[in-house]
Amino acid sequence: MALIKWTTELSVNISSIDEQHKILINMINEFYEKISEKSNNELISNLITKMKDYTILHFSVEEKLFEQYNYADFEQHKKQHDGFIKKVSDLEERFNKGEIILSFEITKFLKDWLINHIQGTDKKYTKFFIEKGIS
Ligand code: FEO
Protein backbone atom coordinates (compact mmCIF):
# COMPACT_ATOMS: atom_id res chain seq x y z
CA MET A 1 0.00 0.00 0.00
CA ALA A 2 1.26 3.46 -0.89
CA LEU A 3 2.38 5.66 1.96
CA ILE A 4 1.09 8.88 0.41
CA LYS A 5 -1.84 9.30 -1.90
CA TRP A 6 -1.98 12.46 -3.96
CA THR A 7 -5.31 14.22 -3.51
CA THR A 8 -6.54 17.67 -4.49
CA GLU A 9 -5.68 18.78 -0.94
CA LEU A 10 -2.08 18.64 -2.10
CA SER A 11 -2.74 20.66 -5.23
CA VAL A 12 -1.12 24.08 -5.59
CA ASN A 13 -3.44 24.67 -8.56
CA ILE A 14 -0.52 25.01 -10.95
CA SER A 15 -0.47 21.86 -13.03
CA SER A 16 3.22 21.90 -13.97
CA ILE A 17 4.17 22.02 -10.28
CA ASP A 18 1.51 19.52 -9.22
CA GLU A 19 3.03 17.06 -11.72
CA GLN A 20 6.45 17.45 -10.10
CA HIS A 21 4.98 16.99 -6.62
CA LYS A 22 3.29 13.80 -7.83
CA ILE A 23 6.65 12.48 -9.03
CA LEU A 24 8.19 13.25 -5.63
CA ILE A 25 5.32 11.50 -3.87
CA ASN A 26 5.77 8.45 -6.10
CA MET A 27 9.45 8.39 -5.24
CA ILE A 28 8.75 8.45 -1.50
CA ASN A 29 6.18 5.68 -1.99
CA GLU A 30 8.71 3.61 -3.91
CA PHE A 31 11.31 4.24 -1.22
CA TYR A 32 8.85 3.09 1.46
CA GLU A 33 8.00 -0.01 -0.58
CA LYS A 34 11.66 -0.97 -1.05
CA ILE A 35 12.41 -0.49 2.64
CA SER A 36 9.36 -2.57 3.62
CA GLU A 37 10.50 -5.32 1.24
CA LYS A 38 14.01 -5.09 2.70
CA SER A 39 15.48 -4.58 -0.74
CA ASN A 40 19.24 -4.60 -1.13
CA ASN A 41 21.29 -1.59 -0.07
CA GLU A 42 22.50 -0.72 -3.56
CA LEU A 43 18.96 -0.39 -4.85
CA ILE A 44 17.94 1.73 -1.87
CA SER A 45 21.02 3.90 -2.20
CA ASN A 46 20.23 4.51 -5.88
CA LEU A 47 16.69 5.45 -4.94
CA ILE A 48 17.88 7.99 -2.36
CA THR A 49 20.16 9.57 -4.97
CA LYS A 50 17.35 9.64 -7.52
CA MET A 51 15.02 11.22 -4.97
CA LYS A 52 17.62 13.81 -3.94
CA ASP A 53 18.40 14.74 -7.56
CA TYR A 54 14.76 15.12 -8.47
CA THR A 55 14.09 17.18 -5.35
CA ILE A 56 16.96 19.52 -6.27
CA LEU A 57 15.52 19.86 -9.77
CA HIS A 58 12.03 20.57 -8.47
CA PHE A 59 13.24 23.16 -5.95
CA SER A 60 15.27 24.89 -8.65
CA VAL A 61 12.17 25.17 -10.85
CA GLU A 62 10.27 26.91 -8.04
CA GLU A 63 13.23 29.12 -7.12
CA LYS A 64 13.76 30.25 -10.71
CA LEU A 65 10.12 31.34 -10.81
CA PHE A 66 10.53 33.14 -7.46
CA GLU A 67 13.49 35.06 -8.84
CA GLN A 68 11.89 35.75 -12.18
CA TYR A 69 8.76 37.22 -10.63
CA ASN A 70 10.29 38.73 -7.49
CA TYR A 71 8.34 36.58 -5.09
CA ALA A 72 8.38 38.22 -1.66
CA ASP A 73 8.84 34.99 0.35
CA PHE A 74 11.73 33.78 -1.77
CA GLU A 75 14.40 33.74 0.95
CA GLN A 76 12.19 32.14 3.54
CA HIS A 77 11.01 29.47 1.12
CA LYS A 78 14.52 28.75 -0.15
CA LYS A 79 15.73 28.24 3.43
CA GLN A 80 13.26 25.37 3.77
CA HIS A 81 14.41 23.86 0.47
CA ASP A 82 18.08 24.09 1.46
CA GLY A 83 17.41 22.54 4.86
CA PHE A 84 15.63 19.59 3.32
CA ILE A 85 18.34 18.96 0.71
CA LYS A 86 20.90 19.02 3.51
CA LYS A 87 18.90 16.42 5.46
CA VAL A 88 18.50 14.13 2.45
CA SER A 89 22.18 14.48 1.51
CA ASP A 90 23.14 13.63 5.07
CA LEU A 91 20.83 10.62 5.00
CA GLU A 92 22.38 9.45 1.73
CA GLU A 93 25.91 9.82 3.07
CA ARG A 94 25.23 8.09 6.36
CA PHE A 95 23.35 5.26 4.70
CA ASN A 96 26.15 4.72 2.18
CA LYS A 97 28.70 4.62 5.02
CA GLY A 98 26.59 2.03 6.83
CA GLU A 99 25.98 4.38 9.75
CA ILE A 100 22.20 4.17 9.67
CA ILE A 101 19.57 1.63 8.91
CA LEU A 102 16.65 3.08 7.01
CA SER A 103 13.40 2.76 8.81
CA PHE A 104 9.77 3.68 8.73
CA GLU A 105 10.63 6.74 10.87
CA ILE A 106 12.89 8.09 8.13
CA THR A 107 10.26 7.49 5.49
CA LYS A 108 7.73 9.19 7.74
CA PHE A 109 10.03 12.19 8.08
CA LEU A 110 10.25 12.52 4.25
CA LYS A 111 6.50 12.14 3.90
CA ASP A 112 5.63 14.63 6.66
CA TRP A 113 8.16 17.16 5.43
CA LEU A 114 6.83 17.08 1.88
CA ILE A 115 3.17 17.24 2.86
CA ASN A 116 3.75 20.07 5.34
CA HIS A 117 5.89 21.95 2.84
CA ILE A 118 3.35 21.69 0.02
CA GLN A 119 0.39 22.56 2.21
CA GLY A 120 2.04 25.13 4.44
CA THR A 121 4.59 26.82 2.18
CA ASP A 122 4.12 26.01 -1.52
CA LYS A 123 0.42 26.81 -1.42
CA LYS A 124 1.27 30.37 -0.41
CA TYR A 125 2.54 31.09 -3.93
CA THR A 126 -0.57 29.84 -5.72
CA LYS A 127 -2.39 33.16 -5.98
CA PHE A 128 0.79 35.06 -6.85
CA PHE A 129 1.82 32.64 -9.60
CA ILE A 130 -1.65 32.36 -11.08
CA GLU A 131 -1.75 36.15 -11.32
CA LYS A 132 1.53 35.95 -13.24
CA GLY A 133 -0.06 33.53 -15.69
CA ILE A 134 1.85 30.41 -14.60
CA SER A 135 -0.09 27.19 -15.05
FE1 FEO B 1 7.38 22.21 -4.08
FE2 FEO B 1 8.81 24.43 -2.31
O1 FEO B 1 8.69 22.74 -2.98
Side-chain angles (χ1 to χ4, degrees), residues 17-72:
I17 293 179
D18 279 346
E19 288 314 307
Q20 294 186 359
H21 287 155
K22 285 178 193 172
I23 291 172
L24 282 173
I25 285 169
N26 285 341
M27 284 179 170
I28 293 177
N29 283 334
E30 193 185 348
F31 181 69
Y32 171 64
E33 220 179 273
K34 297 302 170 202
I35 287 178
S36 306
E37 290 168 358
K38 301 196 187 317
S39 293
N40 73 60
N41 285 1
E42 195 187 337
L43 196 146
I44 292 175
S45 171
N46 289 341
L47 257 180
I48 300 173
T49 306
K50 199 171 92 174
M51 197 159 59
K52 183 189 76 181
D53 290 347
Y54 192 78
T55 305
I56 291 172
L57 175 91
H58 166 64
F59 288 169
S60 76
V61 168
E62 287 186 356
E63 289 166 16
K64 273 182 198 146
L65 289 170
F66 296 160
E67 273 189 312
Q68 189 178 346
Y69 294 102
N70 263 323
Y71 180 57

Short mmCIF file of all heavy atoms in Angstrom, two decimals, residues 17-72:
data_model
loop_
_atom_site.label_atom_id
_atom_site.label_comp_id
_atom_site.label_asym_id
_atom_site.label_seq_id
_atom_site.Cartn_x
_atom_site.Cartn_y
_atom_site.Cartn_z
N ILE A 17 3.56 22.29 -11.60
CA ILE A 17 4.17 22.02 -10.28
C ILE A 17 3.50 20.82 -9.62
O ILE A 17 4.16 19.99 -9.00
CB ILE A 17 4.16 23.29 -9.40
CG1 ILE A 17 5.10 24.31 -10.06
CG2 ILE A 17 4.58 22.99 -7.97
CD1 ILE A 17 5.22 25.62 -9.38
N ASP A 18 2.19 20.70 -9.77
CA ASP A 18 1.51 19.52 -9.22
C ASP A 18 2.13 18.24 -9.80
O ASP A 18 2.31 17.26 -9.07
CB ASP A 18 0.01 19.54 -9.58
CG ASP A 18 -0.79 20.44 -8.63
OD1 ASP A 18 -0.26 20.81 -7.57
OD2 ASP A 18 -1.96 20.73 -8.96
N GLU A 19 2.45 18.25 -11.10
CA GLU A 19 3.03 17.06 -11.72
C GLU A 19 4.36 16.71 -11.07
O GLU A 19 4.66 15.54 -10.83
CB GLU A 19 3.22 17.27 -13.24
CG GLU A 19 1.92 17.26 -14.03
CD GLU A 19 0.96 16.13 -13.66
OE1 GLU A 19 1.41 14.97 -13.67
OE2 GLU A 19 -0.20 16.40 -13.35
N GLN A 20 5.15 17.72 -10.76
CA GLN A 20 6.45 17.45 -10.10
C GLN A 20 6.24 16.93 -8.69
O GLN A 20 6.94 16.02 -8.24
CB GLN A 20 7.29 18.73 -10.07
CG GLN A 20 7.71 19.16 -11.47
CD GLN A 20 8.67 20.33 -11.45
OE1 GLN A 20 9.02 20.87 -10.41
NE2 GLN A 20 9.08 20.74 -12.64
N HIS A 21 5.26 17.49 -7.98
CA HIS A 21 4.98 16.99 -6.62
C HIS A 21 4.52 15.54 -6.67
O HIS A 21 4.86 14.74 -5.80
CB HIS A 21 3.91 17.87 -5.94
CG HIS A 21 4.42 19.20 -5.52
ND1 HIS A 21 3.62 20.31 -5.36
CD2 HIS A 21 5.69 19.63 -5.22
CE1 HIS A 21 4.36 21.34 -4.96
NE2 HIS A 21 5.60 20.96 -4.89
N LYS A 22 3.75 15.20 -7.70
CA LYS A 22 3.29 13.80 -7.83
C LYS A 22 4.48 12.87 -8.03
O LYS A 22 4.51 11.76 -7.48
CB LYS A 22 2.31 13.66 -9.00
CG LYS A 22 0.94 14.24 -8.71
CD LYS A 22 0.04 14.10 -9.94
CE LYS A 22 -1.21 14.93 -9.81
NZ LYS A 22 -2.00 14.99 -11.03
N ILE A 23 5.45 13.31 -8.81
CA ILE A 23 6.65 12.48 -9.03
C ILE A 23 7.39 12.28 -7.71
O ILE A 23 7.81 11.17 -7.37
CB ILE A 23 7.55 13.10 -10.12
CG1 ILE A 23 6.84 13.00 -11.48
CG2 ILE A 23 8.93 12.43 -10.17
CD1 ILE A 23 7.51 13.74 -12.62
N LEU A 24 7.51 13.36 -6.93
CA LEU A 24 8.19 13.25 -5.63
C LEU A 24 7.44 12.29 -4.69
O LEU A 24 8.06 11.48 -4.00
CB LEU A 24 8.30 14.63 -4.96
CG LEU A 24 9.40 15.54 -5.49
CD1 LEU A 24 9.29 16.92 -4.87
CD2 LEU A 24 10.77 14.95 -5.18
N ILE A 25 6.14 12.39 -4.70
CA ILE A 25 5.32 11.50 -3.87
C ILE A 25 5.52 10.04 -4.30
O ILE A 25 5.71 9.15 -3.47
CB ILE A 25 3.83 11.92 -3.94
CG1 ILE A 25 3.64 13.19 -3.10
CG2 ILE A 25 2.89 10.79 -3.47
CD1 ILE A 25 2.30 13.87 -3.27
N ASN A 26 5.54 9.82 -5.61
CA ASN A 26 5.77 8.45 -6.10
C ASN A 26 7.13 7.93 -5.67
O ASN A 26 7.28 6.75 -5.35
CB ASN A 26 5.68 8.41 -7.63
CG ASN A 26 4.23 8.50 -8.09
OD1 ASN A 26 3.31 8.24 -7.31
ND2 ASN A 26 4.03 8.89 -9.34
N MET A 27 8.10 8.81 -5.66
CA MET A 27 9.45 8.39 -5.24
C MET A 27 9.47 8.00 -3.76
O MET A 27 10.10 7.02 -3.39
CB MET A 27 10.46 9.51 -5.50
CG MET A 27 10.83 9.62 -6.96
SD MET A 27 12.01 10.97 -7.20
CE MET A 27 12.46 10.65 -8.90
N ILE A 28 8.79 8.79 -2.94
CA ILE A 28 8.75 8.45 -1.50
C ILE A 28 7.99 7.13 -1.32
O ILE A 28 8.40 6.29 -0.52
CB ILE A 28 8.13 9.60 -0.66
CG1 ILE A 28 9.05 10.82 -0.69
CG2 ILE A 28 7.89 9.16 0.79
CD1 ILE A 28 8.54 12.05 0.03
N ASN A 29 6.93 6.94 -2.07
CA ASN A 29 6.18 5.68 -1.99
C ASN A 29 7.06 4.49 -2.40
O ASN A 29 7.03 3.43 -1.76
CB ASN A 29 4.94 5.73 -2.88
CG ASN A 29 3.83 6.54 -2.24
OD1 ASN A 29 3.76 6.66 -1.01
ND2 ASN A 29 2.95 7.09 -3.05
N GLU A 30 7.84 4.69 -3.44
CA GLU A 30 8.71 3.61 -3.91
C GLU A 30 9.78 3.30 -2.86
O GLU A 30 10.09 2.14 -2.57
CB GLU A 30 9.36 4.03 -5.23
CG GLU A 30 10.03 2.87 -5.95
CD GLU A 30 10.79 3.31 -7.21
OE1 GLU A 30 10.62 4.48 -7.65
OE2 GLU A 30 11.56 2.48 -7.72
N PHE A 31 10.30 4.36 -2.27
CA PHE A 31 11.31 4.24 -1.22
C PHE A 31 10.73 3.43 -0.04
O PHE A 31 11.36 2.49 0.46
CB PHE A 31 11.69 5.66 -0.78
CG PHE A 31 12.73 5.75 0.27
CD1 PHE A 31 14.04 5.41 0.01
CD2 PHE A 31 12.41 6.23 1.54
CE1 PHE A 31 15.02 5.52 1.00
CE2 PHE A 31 13.38 6.36 2.52
CZ PHE A 31 14.68 6.00 2.25
N TYR A 32 9.53 3.78 0.36
CA TYR A 32 8.85 3.09 1.46
C TYR A 32 8.65 1.61 1.12
O TYR A 32 8.89 0.73 1.96
CB TYR A 32 7.49 3.77 1.69
CG TYR A 32 6.57 3.05 2.64
CD1 TYR A 32 6.91 2.88 3.98
CD2 TYR A 32 5.34 2.57 2.21
CE1 TYR A 32 6.06 2.23 4.86
CE2 TYR A 32 4.48 1.91 3.08
CZ TYR A 32 4.83 1.75 4.40
OH TYR A 32 4.00 1.10 5.27
N GLU A 33 8.24 1.36 -0.12
CA GLU A 33 8.00 -0.01 -0.58
C GLU A 33 9.29 -0.83 -0.52
O GLU A 33 9.30 -1.95 -0.01
CB GLU A 33 7.56 0.08 -2.04
CG GLU A 33 6.46 -0.88 -2.44
CD GLU A 33 6.12 -0.62 -3.90
OE1 GLU A 33 5.28 0.26 -4.13
OE2 GLU A 33 6.74 -1.27 -4.77
N LYS A 34 10.38 -0.24 -1.01
CA LYS A 34 11.66 -0.97 -1.05
C LYS A 34 12.19 -1.23 0.36
O LYS A 34 12.79 -2.27 0.62
CB LYS A 34 12.72 -0.20 -1.87
CG LYS A 34 12.35 -0.03 -3.32
CD LYS A 34 12.11 -1.35 -4.02
CE LYS A 34 11.51 -1.15 -5.40
NZ LYS A 34 10.81 -2.32 -5.91
N ILE A 35 11.97 -0.27 1.25
CA ILE A 35 12.41 -0.49 2.64
C ILE A 35 11.57 -1.60 3.27
O ILE A 35 12.10 -2.49 3.92
CB ILE A 35 12.33 0.81 3.46
CG1 ILE A 35 13.45 1.75 3.03
CG2 ILE A 35 12.48 0.54 4.95
CD1 ILE A 35 13.44 3.07 3.74
N SER A 36 10.25 -1.55 3.05
CA SER A 36 9.36 -2.57 3.62
C SER A 36 9.73 -3.96 3.10
O SER A 36 9.65 -4.94 3.82
CB SER A 36 7.90 -2.29 3.24
OG SER A 36 7.55 -1.01 3.60
N GLU A 37 10.13 -4.02 1.82
CA GLU A 37 10.50 -5.32 1.24
C GLU A 37 11.91 -5.74 1.62
O GLU A 37 12.38 -6.79 1.19
CB GLU A 37 10.46 -5.22 -0.30
CG GLU A 37 9.08 -5.09 -0.89
CD GLU A 37 9.13 -4.70 -2.38
OE1 GLU A 37 10.23 -4.50 -2.94
OE2 GLU A 37 8.04 -4.59 -2.96
N LYS A 38 12.61 -4.88 2.34
CA LYS A 38 14.01 -5.09 2.70
C LYS A 38 14.87 -5.35 1.46
O LYS A 38 15.63 -6.32 1.38
CB LYS A 38 14.15 -6.22 3.72
CG LYS A 38 13.38 -5.96 5.01
CD LYS A 38 13.82 -6.87 6.12
CE LYS A 38 12.98 -6.79 7.38
NZ LYS A 38 12.59 -5.48 7.84
N SER A 39 14.70 -4.48 0.49
CA SER A 39 15.48 -4.58 -0.74
C SER A 39 16.96 -4.36 -0.45
O SER A 39 17.32 -3.85 0.61
CB SER A 39 15.02 -3.52 -1.74
OG SER A 39 13.73 -3.80 -2.15
N ASN A 40 17.81 -4.72 -1.42
CA ASN A 40 19.24 -4.60 -1.13
C ASN A 40 19.70 -3.13 -1.08
O ASN A 40 19.07 -2.24 -1.64
CB ASN A 40 20.08 -5.44 -2.11
CG ASN A 40 20.12 -4.86 -3.49
OD1 ASN A 40 20.57 -3.73 -3.67
ND2 ASN A 40 19.62 -5.60 -4.47
N ASN A 41 20.81 -2.94 -0.36
CA ASN A 41 21.29 -1.59 -0.07
C ASN A 41 21.61 -0.78 -1.31
O ASN A 41 21.41 0.42 -1.33
CB ASN A 41 22.55 -1.67 0.81
CG ASN A 41 22.18 -2.02 2.24
OD1 ASN A 41 21.02 -2.22 2.56
ND2 ASN A 41 23.20 -2.10 3.09
N GLU A 42 22.12 -1.44 -2.35
CA GLU A 42 22.50 -0.72 -3.56
C GLU A 42 21.26 -0.10 -4.20
O GLU A 42 21.27 1.06 -4.62
CB GLU A 42 23.19 -1.68 -4.52
CG GLU A 42 23.93 -0.95 -5.62
CD GLU A 42 24.49 -1.88 -6.68
OE1 GLU A 42 24.69 -3.07 -6.36
OE2 GLU A 42 24.67 -1.41 -7.81
N LEU A 43 20.21 -0.89 -4.25
CA LEU A 43 18.96 -0.39 -4.85
C LEU A 43 18.41 0.79 -4.04
O LEU A 43 18.00 1.81 -4.60
CB LEU A 43 17.96 -1.55 -4.88
CG LEU A 43 16.75 -1.38 -5.77
CD1 LEU A 43 16.37 -2.75 -6.34
CD2 LEU A 43 15.56 -0.82 -5.02
N ILE A 44 18.45 0.65 -2.73
CA ILE A 44 17.94 1.73 -1.87
C ILE A 44 18.81 2.98 -1.99
O ILE A 44 18.32 4.10 -2.10
CB ILE A 44 17.81 1.25 -0.40
CG1 ILE A 44 16.69 0.21 -0.32
CG2 ILE A 44 17.52 2.42 0.54
CD1 ILE A 44 16.50 -0.45 1.02
N SER A 45 20.11 2.77 -2.06
CA SER A 45 21.02 3.90 -2.20
C SER A 45 20.75 4.64 -3.52
O SER A 45 20.73 5.87 -3.55
CB SER A 45 22.46 3.38 -2.15
OG SER A 45 23.34 4.40 -2.48
N ASN A 46 20.54 3.88 -4.59
CA ASN A 46 20.23 4.51 -5.88
C ASN A 46 18.93 5.31 -5.82
O ASN A 46 18.81 6.38 -6.41
CB ASN A 46 20.12 3.46 -7.00
CG ASN A 46 21.47 2.88 -7.33
OD1 ASN A 46 22.50 3.46 -7.02
ND2 ASN A 46 21.48 1.71 -7.96
N LEU A 47 17.98 4.76 -5.09
CA LEU A 47 16.69 5.45 -4.94
C LEU A 47 16.85 6.76 -4.18
O LEU A 47 16.23 7.77 -4.53
CB LEU A 47 15.73 4.57 -4.16
CG LEU A 47 14.65 3.84 -4.92
CD1 LEU A 47 13.81 3.02 -3.95
CD2 LEU A 47 13.75 4.83 -5.63
N ILE A 48 17.66 6.75 -3.13
CA ILE A 48 17.88 7.99 -2.36
C ILE A 48 18.51 9.04 -3.27
O ILE A 48 18.10 10.20 -3.27
CB ILE A 48 18.80 7.76 -1.12
CG1 ILE A 48 18.19 6.73 -0.17
CG2 ILE A 48 19.03 9.07 -0.38
CD1 ILE A 48 19.11 6.32 0.98
N THR A 49 19.49 8.62 -4.07
CA THR A 49 20.16 9.57 -4.97
C THR A 49 19.16 10.12 -5.99
O THR A 49 19.12 11.32 -6.26
CB THR A 49 21.34 8.88 -5.68
OG1 THR A 49 22.17 8.31 -4.69
CG2 THR A 49 22.13 9.85 -6.53
N LYS A 50 18.34 9.23 -6.53
CA LYS A 50 17.35 9.64 -7.52
C LYS A 50 16.37 10.66 -6.90
O LYS A 50 16.04 11.68 -7.49
CB LYS A 50 16.59 8.38 -8.00
CG LYS A 50 15.85 8.54 -9.31
CD LYS A 50 15.33 7.19 -9.80
CE LYS A 50 13.92 6.96 -9.30
NZ LYS A 50 13.26 5.76 -9.81
N MET A 51 15.97 10.36 -5.67
CA MET A 51 15.02 11.22 -4.97
C MET A 51 15.67 12.59 -4.67
O MET A 51 15.06 13.63 -4.87
CB MET A 51 14.64 10.53 -3.66
CG MET A 51 13.42 11.04 -3.00
SD MET A 51 12.76 9.79 -1.87
CE MET A 51 14.11 9.51 -0.75
N LYS A 52 16.91 12.55 -4.24
CA LYS A 52 17.62 13.81 -3.94
C LYS A 52 17.76 14.65 -5.22
O LYS A 52 17.47 15.84 -5.21
CB LYS A 52 19.01 13.49 -3.36
CG LYS A 52 19.79 14.73 -2.95
CD LYS A 52 21.21 14.43 -2.59
CE LYS A 52 22.04 14.20 -3.85
NZ LYS A 52 23.44 13.87 -3.59
N ASP A 53 18.19 14.01 -6.30
CA ASP A 53 18.40 14.74 -7.56
C ASP A 53 17.09 15.34 -8.08
O ASP A 53 17.06 16.48 -8.53
CB ASP A 53 19.00 13.82 -8.64
CG ASP A 53 20.44 13.45 -8.32
OD1 ASP A 53 21.03 14.09 -7.42
OD2 ASP A 53 20.97 12.52 -8.95
N TYR A 54 16.02 14.58 -7.96
CA TYR A 54 14.76 15.12 -8.47
C TYR A 54 14.25 16.26 -7.57
O TYR A 54 13.69 17.24 -8.05
CB TYR A 54 13.68 14.03 -8.62
CG TYR A 54 12.51 14.58 -9.42
CD1 TYR A 54 12.59 14.69 -10.79
CD2 TYR A 54 11.38 15.08 -8.77
CE1 TYR A 54 11.57 15.27 -11.53
CE2 TYR A 54 10.35 15.66 -9.50
CZ TYR A 54 10.45 15.75 -10.87
OH TYR A 54 9.44 16.33 -11.60
N THR A 55 14.50 16.12 -6.28
CA THR A 55 14.09 17.18 -5.35
C THR A 55 14.86 18.47 -5.67
O THR A 55 14.27 19.56 -5.70
CB THR A 55 14.36 16.75 -3.88
OG1 THR A 55 13.69 15.52 -3.66
CG2 THR A 55 13.85 17.76 -2.89
N ILE A 56 16.15 18.35 -5.93
CA ILE A 56 16.96 19.52 -6.27
C ILE A 56 16.40 20.17 -7.54
O ILE A 56 16.24 21.39 -7.63
CB ILE A 56 18.45 19.13 -6.45
CG1 ILE A 56 19.05 18.75 -5.09
CG2 ILE A 56 19.25 20.26 -7.10
CD1 ILE A 56 20.46 18.15 -5.14
N LEU A 57 16.08 19.34 -8.51
CA LEU A 57 15.52 19.86 -9.77
C LEU A 57 14.20 20.59 -9.52
O LEU A 57 14.00 21.72 -9.97
CB LEU A 57 15.30 18.69 -10.76
CG LEU A 57 14.62 19.08 -12.05
CD1 LEU A 57 15.68 19.44 -13.09
CD2 LEU A 57 13.75 17.96 -12.58
N HIS A 58 13.33 19.96 -8.76
CA HIS A 58 12.03 20.57 -8.47
C HIS A 58 12.19 21.91 -7.73
O HIS A 58 11.57 22.91 -8.09
CB HIS A 58 11.15 19.61 -7.66
CG HIS A 58 9.97 20.31 -7.06
ND1 HIS A 58 8.98 20.87 -7.84
CD2 HIS A 58 9.64 20.60 -5.77
CE1 HIS A 58 8.09 21.46 -7.07
NE2 HIS A 58 8.47 21.31 -5.81
N PHE A 59 13.04 21.92 -6.70
CA PHE A 59 13.24 23.16 -5.95
C PHE A 59 13.80 24.25 -6.86
O PHE A 59 13.42 25.42 -6.75
CB PHE A 59 14.20 22.93 -4.78
CG PHE A 59 13.63 22.12 -3.64
CD1 PHE A 59 14.46 21.66 -2.61
CD2 PHE A 59 12.27 21.84 -3.56
CE1 PHE A 59 13.95 20.92 -1.54
CE2 PHE A 59 11.76 21.10 -2.50
CZ PHE A 59 12.60 20.64 -1.49
N SER A 60 14.68 23.87 -7.77
CA SER A 60 15.27 24.89 -8.65
C SER A 60 14.22 25.46 -9.60
O SER A 60 14.28 26.64 -9.94
CB SER A 60 16.49 24.36 -9.39
OG SER A 60 16.09 23.53 -10.45
N VAL A 61 13.25 24.66 -9.99
CA VAL A 61 12.17 25.17 -10.85
C VAL A 61 11.38 26.24 -10.07
O VAL A 61 11.14 27.34 -10.58
CB VAL A 61 11.22 24.02 -11.30
CG1 VAL A 61 9.95 24.56 -11.93
CG2 VAL A 61 11.94 23.10 -12.28
N GLU A 62 11.01 25.92 -8.83
CA GLU A 62 10.27 26.91 -8.04
C GLU A 62 11.12 28.17 -7.81
O GLU A 62 10.64 29.29 -7.97
CB GLU A 62 9.87 26.32 -6.67
CG GLU A 62 8.76 25.30 -6.76
CD GLU A 62 8.28 24.82 -5.38
OE1 GLU A 62 8.85 25.21 -4.35
OE2 GLU A 62 7.31 24.03 -5.36
N GLU A 63 12.39 27.96 -7.45
CA GLU A 63 13.23 29.12 -7.12
C GLU A 63 13.48 30.02 -8.32
O GLU A 63 13.58 31.24 -8.18
CB GLU A 63 14.54 28.63 -6.49
CG GLU A 63 14.32 28.07 -5.09
CD GLU A 63 15.49 27.27 -4.55
OE1 GLU A 63 16.60 27.37 -5.10
OE2 GLU A 63 15.29 26.52 -3.57
N LYS A 64 13.58 29.43 -9.51
CA LYS A 64 13.76 30.25 -10.71
C LYS A 64 12.52 31.12 -10.93
O LYS A 64 12.62 32.29 -11.30
CB LYS A 64 14.00 29.36 -11.94
CG LYS A 64 15.47 29.03 -12.09
CD LYS A 64 15.71 28.19 -13.34
CE LYS A 64 17.07 27.52 -13.22
NZ LYS A 64 17.12 26.21 -13.85
N LEU A 65 11.36 30.55 -10.68
CA LEU A 65 10.12 31.34 -10.81
C LEU A 65 10.08 32.44 -9.76
O LEU A 65 9.67 33.57 -10.04
CB LEU A 65 8.89 30.43 -10.68
CG LEU A 65 8.64 29.47 -11.84
CD1 LEU A 65 7.54 28.47 -11.50
CD2 LEU A 65 8.25 30.23 -13.11
N PHE A 66 10.52 32.12 -8.53
CA PHE A 66 10.53 33.14 -7.46
C PHE A 66 11.40 34.33 -7.89
O PHE A 66 11.03 35.48 -7.72
CB PHE A 66 11.11 32.58 -6.15
CG PHE A 66 10.32 31.46 -5.53
CD1 PHE A 66 10.92 30.61 -4.59
CD2 PHE A 66 8.99 31.26 -5.84
CE1 PHE A 66 10.20 29.58 -4.00
CE2 PHE A 66 8.26 30.23 -5.24
CZ PHE A 66 8.89 29.38 -4.32
N GLU A 67 12.55 34.00 -8.43
CA GLU A 67 13.49 35.06 -8.84
C GLU A 67 12.92 35.86 -10.00
O GLU A 67 12.94 37.08 -10.00
CB GLU A 67 14.81 34.43 -9.28
CG GLU A 67 15.77 34.22 -8.15
CD GLU A 67 17.15 33.80 -8.61
OE1 GLU A 67 17.23 32.87 -9.44
OE2 GLU A 67 18.13 34.41 -8.15
N GLN A 68 12.42 35.11 -10.98
CA GLN A 68 11.89 35.75 -12.18
C GLN A 68 10.77 36.74 -11.87
O GLN A 68 10.69 37.80 -12.47
CB GLN A 68 11.39 34.64 -13.12
CG GLN A 68 11.01 35.12 -14.49
CD GLN A 68 10.56 33.94 -15.37
OE1 GLN A 68 10.78 32.77 -15.04
NE2 GLN A 68 9.91 34.24 -16.47
N TYR A 69 9.92 36.37 -10.91
CA TYR A 69 8.76 37.22 -10.63
C TYR A 69 8.87 38.00 -9.32
O TYR A 69 7.89 38.57 -8.86
CB TYR A 69 7.48 36.37 -10.64
CG TYR A 69 7.18 35.81 -12.02
CD1 TYR A 69 7.48 34.49 -12.33
CD2 TYR A 69 6.65 36.63 -13.02
CE1 TYR A 69 7.24 33.98 -13.60
CE2 TYR A 69 6.41 36.14 -14.29
CZ TYR A 69 6.70 34.81 -14.57
OH TYR A 69 6.47 34.33 -15.83
N ASN A 70 10.08 37.99 -8.73
CA ASN A 70 10.29 38.73 -7.49
C ASN A 70 9.33 38.34 -6.37
O ASN A 70 8.70 39.20 -5.75
CB ASN A 70 10.12 40.23 -7.75
CG ASN A 70 11.45 40.88 -7.97
OD1 ASN A 70 12.43 40.50 -7.33
ND2 ASN A 70 11.48 41.82 -8.90
N TYR A 71 9.25 37.08 -6.12
CA TYR A 71 8.34 36.58 -5.09
C TYR A 71 8.84 37.00 -3.70
O TYR A 71 10.00 36.76 -3.35
CB TYR A 71 8.27 35.05 -5.21
CG TYR A 71 7.38 34.36 -4.22
CD1 TYR A 71 6.02 34.68 -4.12
CD2 TYR A 71 7.88 33.35 -3.40
CE1 TYR A 71 5.20 34.03 -3.22
CE2 TYR A 71 7.05 32.68 -2.50
CZ TYR A 71 5.72 33.02 -2.42
OH TYR A 71 4.91 32.37 -1.53
N ALA A 72 7.96 37.62 -2.93
CA ALA A 72 8.38 38.22 -1.66
C ALA A 72 8.93 37.21 -0.65
O ALA A 72 9.84 37.53 0.11
CB ALA A 72 7.20 38.97 -1.05
#
